Amino acid sequence: MSMHSTSTVSYPRADVDPPSGSLFPHKHLLGIWGLDPTSIKHLLDVADGYADQNRTANKNSSICAGLTQINLFFENSTRTLMSFEIAGKRLGLDTISMSTGSSSIKKGETLLDTAATLNAMHPDVLVVRHGDSGAVKLLSEKMDCAVINAGDGRAEHPTQALLDALTIRRRKGQIHGQTIVICGDIAHSRVARSNIYLLNAMGARVRLVAPPTLLPKDVDRLGVEVFHRMDEGLKGADVVMMLRLQQERMKGAFLPSLREYYKFWGLTREKLNAAKDDVLIMHPGPMNRGVEIASDVADDIDRSAIEEQVEMGVAVRMACIDVLTRGLPQRVNADKAEETKS
Ligand code: ASP
């Protein structure tokens, strides 16, 4: 059974006056929501260049030398934290990372105190992951420097959506017109939400496949087609994005059992037969093999782009840091020096 929602979604523009000539007229990167296609394309174009550069021996540059980057992670992370650290270092920033178990951090005033403390240290870039939706935006309001959202609650994970988009664009040539299926635990997934905003803004056809209990309440307003059966949702798909079952965010019973979940919504070779032959398989990680995805599908060297997603993550994060620090006095001097050299 499928439920089709054909609503047209209008994407708001962030109300910032563009500094003359800037293709990314935003101080922070808090989400994909609010970015227009030009801003998204600009980040992807810059990231594309870094992706090529990262495959050469000259991966490092010093365009951001003298700048300080703080990575503040209130939730666990492997890929995202490492990737932001590497990205900052490759651009020449001094990067410092701080991870805190969410249990030891109180909300409200404490978060704002943290912001005030960090602001007093004059960082140039602050990368934040937090378990609560909206917490990164709250922090950004107290910071003088650029703030990048590395995942907030169930709300957004903009750099994940950008790296997914870069992976698709490099593999498929374009995002526009692709049929992209996002499957699994959509209700708890900030990755799904950021991807839906971005893929819709860039003209893809977005489908969701999930059991009704794992769909967000506002699904009708997301401008997507919704399916509950994998064979229907995957029909003719160009790209399939599997999501991790986020059991740590589930309070109560969302599923009968993991075995049953795998049977109906786990991606297997057999279910994949409904998609196009050259379907691209993606997963943001970490993967639950044998729960949302079969191992042989995840490791299919012809169709799986899962490792490439990680690779593109570094390039996208370099692009975000680069673009958000353009115009800082240190950058202006370094950029001028570069120009005189060449
Ligand atoms: N790593 C992604 C996130 O932080 C996806 C996941 O955890 O399942 O949202």
Side-chain angles (χ1 to χ4, degrees):
M1 194 192 59
S2 69
M3 219 165 76
H4 298 270
S5 145
T6 47
S7 60
T8 353
V9 183
S10 60
Y11 290 89
R13 281 159 194 266
D15 60 348
V16 179
D17 284 338
S20 60
S22 171
L23 291 170
F24 192 83
H26 309 280
K27 181 177 175 191
H28 307 297
L29 177 65
L30 301 175
I32 299 295
W33 184 259
L35 298 185
D36 62 22
T38 310
S39 297
I40 295 171
K41 185 176 174 297
H42 180 56
L43 287 179
L44 295 179
D45 291 344
V46 176
D48 206 27
Y50 282 122
D52 291 340
Q53 182 181 305
N54 284 341
R55 287 183 179 179
T56 69
N58 301 318
K59 293 189 282 283
N60 296 345
S61 80
S62 54
I63 56 164
C64 293
L67 302 184
T68 306
Q69 173 186 340
I70 300 178
N71 302 320
L72 179 62
F73 277 59
F74 294 91
E75 267 193 346
N76 293 339
S77 168
T78 313
R79 266 156 286 268
T80 309
L81 178 56
M82 292 292 288
S83 171
F84 267 113
E85 271 197 33
I86 293 171
K89 288 191 161 83
R90 287 206 179 147
L91 295 173
L93 292 102
D94 297 314
T95 66
I96 296 130
S97 294
M98 187 175 131
S99 305
T100 1
S102 48
S103 58
S104 60
I105 296 285
K106 294 196 196 88
K107 293 175 203 158
E109 276 301 276
T110 308
L111 186 64
L112 298 182
D113 282 349
T114 308
T117 306
L118 293 176
N119 202 39
M121 295 177 190
H122 303 297
D124 301 289
V125 180
L126 177 66
V127 179
V128 189
R129 167 168 288 191
H130 198 283
D132 293 337
S133 309
V136 181
K137 180 167 188 302
L138 189 70
L139 242 154
S140 75
E141 285 160 8
K142 303 286 166 205
M143 298 295 301
D144 296 323
C145 70
V147 175
I148 302 178
N149 182 358
D152 65 322
R154 306 170 182 198
E156 284 238 31
H157 193 349
T159 56
Q160 177 72 47
L162 287 161
L163 73 90
D164 289 339
L166 184 62
T167 307
I168 296 169
R169 206 174 78 165
R170 286 171 69 102
R171 282 285 195 111
K172 298 279 179 191
Q174 59 175 10
I175 297 166
H176 192 273
Q178 305 283 332
T179 298
I180 300 178
V181 187
I182 307 177
C183 303
D185 185 359
I186 293 152
H188 301 100
S189 177
R190 53 197 175 206
V191 173
R193 202 163 271 277
S194 289
N195 261 305
I196 292 167
Y197 298 150
L198 188 151
L199 295 169
N200 267 336
M202 301 309 277
R205 269 192 77 185
V206 184
R207 295 183 192 161
L208 306 183
V209 185
T213 48
L214 292 181
L215 283 169
K217 288 193 179 71
D218 61 347
V219 71
D220 289 346
R221 279 181 276 142
L222 293 175
V224 294
E225 277 185 288
V226 178
F227 297 85
H228 300 307
R229 288 181 54 130
M230 291 285 270
D231 54 351
E232 291 179 356
L234 285 176
K235 215 173 275 170
D238 295 294
V239 178
V240 50
M241 291 183 178
M242 299 309 297
L243 299 173
R244 181 175 68 89
L245 205 52
Q246 302 203 11
Q247 296 186 72
E248 79 276 18
R249 293 192 207 279
M250 293 183 191
K251 293 188 190 84
F254 285 81
L255 307 164
S257 72
L258 292 186
R259 263 186 61 197
E260 204 136 316
Y261 183 80
Y262 181 66
K263 184 169 164 215
F264 290 106
W265 292 286
L267 188 66
T268 57
R269 239 171 231 295
E270 198 191 343
K271 294 199 190 93
L272 212 48
N273 284 337
K276 287 199 181 139
D277 285 345
D278 63 347
V279 64
L280 198 64
I281 301 157
M282 302 176 73
H283 192 302
M287 274 186 280
N288 293 310
R289 289 170 182 265
V291 177
E292 68 262 355
I293 189 162
S295 263
D296 62 333
V297 171
D299 300 332
D300 182 330
I301 48 166
D302 296 321
R303 297 193 288 187
S304 169
I306 296 171
E307 277 179 25
E308 209 170 309
Q309 287 174 268
V310 178
E311 184 190 359
M312 292 308 125
V314 176
V316 154
R317 286 158 186 141
M318 288 172 82
C320 294
I321 296 167
D322 174 357
V323 166
L324 287 169
T325 56
R326 283 180 192 171
L328 286 182
Q330 300 93 318
R331 280 289 307 265
V332 173
N333 293 338
D335 292 345
K336 267 201 203 120
E338 277 294 310
E339 269 168 36
T340 357
K341 258 201 276 166
S342 52

